[in-house]
Amino acid sequence: GAGVSQSPSNKVTEKGKDVELRCDPISGHTALYWYRQSLGQGLEFLIYFQGNSAPDKSGLPSDRFSAERTGGSVSTLTIQRTQQEDSAVYLCASSLNRITNYGYTFGSGTRLTIV
Amino acid sequence: QKEVEQNSGPLSVPEGAIASLNCTYSDRGSQSFFWYRQYSGKSPELIMFIYSNGDKEDGRFTAQLNKASQYVSLLIRDSQPSDSATYLCAVNNMGRRALTFGSGTRLQVQP
């Protein structure tokens, strides 16, 4: 596609429920990143995928968070047993290759609210 | 110490003035430096990147990098109210696979 597409754009869910967030990167971009941004805060790295390599999960805050990327394209971020502190905007980005010399293109994000 | 530090602001400048945004980083191995602009409620968009010491100009924007002092700055000339946004500094260390972001500086350009 022309840009990074994320869905849903907004999600409100009850504490304790599981949620899935989707990201469709720019066609041809082999690297995909998930970040989250809490209100008034900077971007917190969560996970990185590059091609068929094992993902870098070093930023995932707990084992309730997981992500997968199917066929080297679409990615899903899953949060199990959601907590109120999970409320944030979840941003997906993609880039052409592993070397982030040219920066990322971000999607419009999913605003997640846990009630 | 945060890896990438920015003054949260707000930085308020009058229309037409030069806005100067600063960022310091802790990892001397950092190699690539980026400035993103984020409007309220929107996602970040890349406006500049710089790799080498010195200045890099693109229209009204100039990025400045000083690796010895570990700082990178963004100058916006002839500031416009439409420049009002949060500016995020991001740094790439080739040993890591993802950009590290500062928490951003909020710029307000007063008409």
Side-chain angles (χ1 to χ4, degrees), chain A residues 55-90:
Chain A
D56 177 352
K57 304 180 182 180
S58 60
L60 294 178
S62 78
D63 59 7
R64 297 186 295 105
F65 288 73
S66 63
E68 62 177 18
R69 188 178 184 191
T70 54
S73 181
V74 172
S75 177
T76 302
L77 177 69
T78 301
I79 309 174
Q80 296 178 309
R81 305 180 302 281
T82 51
Q83 302 295 313
Q84 288 191 325
E85 61 263 28
D86 299 334
S87 296
V89 176
Y90 288 79

Side-chain angles (χ1 to χ4, degrees), chain A residues 33 35 37 40-43 45 48 54 56 91 98-109 111, chain B residues 2 32 34 36 38 41-46 49 51 88 92 94 96-104:
Chain A
Y33 309 80
Y35 284 78
Q37 187 173 33
Q41 302 299 309
L43 276 69
F45 167 72
Y48 157 77
D56 177 352
L91 290 162
R98 179 177 67 84
I99 301 171
T100 55
N101 280 352
Y102 301 100
Y104 310 148
T105 301
F106 281 93
S108 55
R111 182 174 299 276
Chain B
K2 291 183 180 179
S32 312
F34 304 83
Y36 282 81
Q38 187 174 27
K42 302 295 185 183
S43 58
E45 56 179 326
L46 179 67
F49 60 87
Y51 309 138
L88 300 167
N92 183 36
M94 293 301 286
R96 301 181 65 175
R97 302 181 183 184
L99 295 181
T100 301
F101 285 82
S103 55

Side-chain angles (χ1 to χ4, degrees), chain A residues 15-63:
Chain A
K15 177 182 172 181
K17 300 287 189 183
D18 297 352
V19 294
E20 283 190 355
L21 312 179
R22 176 188 168 102
C23 172
D24 197 347
I26 293 173
S27 179
H29 279 196
T30 58
L32 185 149
Y33 309 80
W34 283 98
Y35 284 78
R36 72 176 176 182
Q37 187 173 33
S38 301
L39 189 62
Q41 302 299 309
L43 276 69
E44 176 188 3
F45 167 72
L46 297 178
I47 189 169
Y48 157 77
F49 295 91
Q50 169 57 43
N52 296 319
S53 302
D56 177 352
K57 304 180 182 180
S58 60
L60 294 178
S62 78
D63 59 7

